[in-house]
Amino acid sequence: MTHAQAMPVDILMITWNRFHYAKRTIDNLLATRDDFRLYWWDNGSVDGVAEYISNKHDERMVLTHRHHENAMQAIPTRWFLRHCRSEVIGKLDDDTLVPNGWIAPIRSAIEQNNRLGMVGCWTFWPEDYQRNADAAQRKIRRVGAHRILWNLSIGGTAFLMRRELALRYAVDDPRGTAFPIDRERMSAAGCLSGWYFPLIWAEHMDDPRSAHCSMSDLLDREGDALADAARPHGIRR
């Protein structure tokens, strides 16, 4: 099967409230021209997230489930793995803004190299890499025509992997709040995980440095309050 004929990548997105983030995430994802099919699971949101996404009309949204309560991560992931059909799959958290074109290079690397595990976008800030660039250079691995900034594990958002690996290393723990894949066991078996290199930046809106971070306004207000309290004592911000 040629790449042009290949099945779209199946992507899981789980939501639970956080309208501020989820709205931006879904709007941004559907604005890209990437070749994917979206499987969306809502964990009983009560803030309008489920209604907002339900009203989206995009042929890439192929399967949805609105659950009655917060089922965490493992149950939605098992649902996804039962229904997805692509050999290469991925996940996107509801607080991550991916760039247009992020899927193609990562997918190509995974399809060409069976030893790759989870390969994703860089979801830290670009300056975080620059600050550690010298050390990071020693962790860059060439895999065929591609390069990976190797790490034992990466976060469970804006990444791709082979469905077969996800099934093999799935963790069946309904209490877990993280993406339920045993990354350490997968790495011990010889799979190489990391961030695609050159880095593809995806903005994690929960980072306080993001303009969209819901904590930013709170931190600013708390800072202003502290400054006001300190000013009578001659302390300036």
Side-chain angles (χ1 to χ4, degrees), residues 5-25:
Q5 298 171 323
M7 192 175 287
V9 169
D10 289 335
I11 299 290
L12 169 65
M13 186 171 77
I14 303 169
T15 54
W16 183 51
N17 297 318
R18 306 209 302 172
F19 186 93
H20 174 77
Y21 290 146
K23 178 184 183 298
R24 285 179 169 82
T25 298

Side-chain angles (χ1 to χ4, degrees), residues 9-10 80-81 84 86-90 159-163 166:
V9 169
D10 289 335
F80 171 64
L81 292 176
C84 66
S86 178
E87 294 180 3
V88 178
I89 64 173
F159 75 89
L160 304 180
M161 69 185 305
R162 284 183 288 130
R163 176 165 53 98

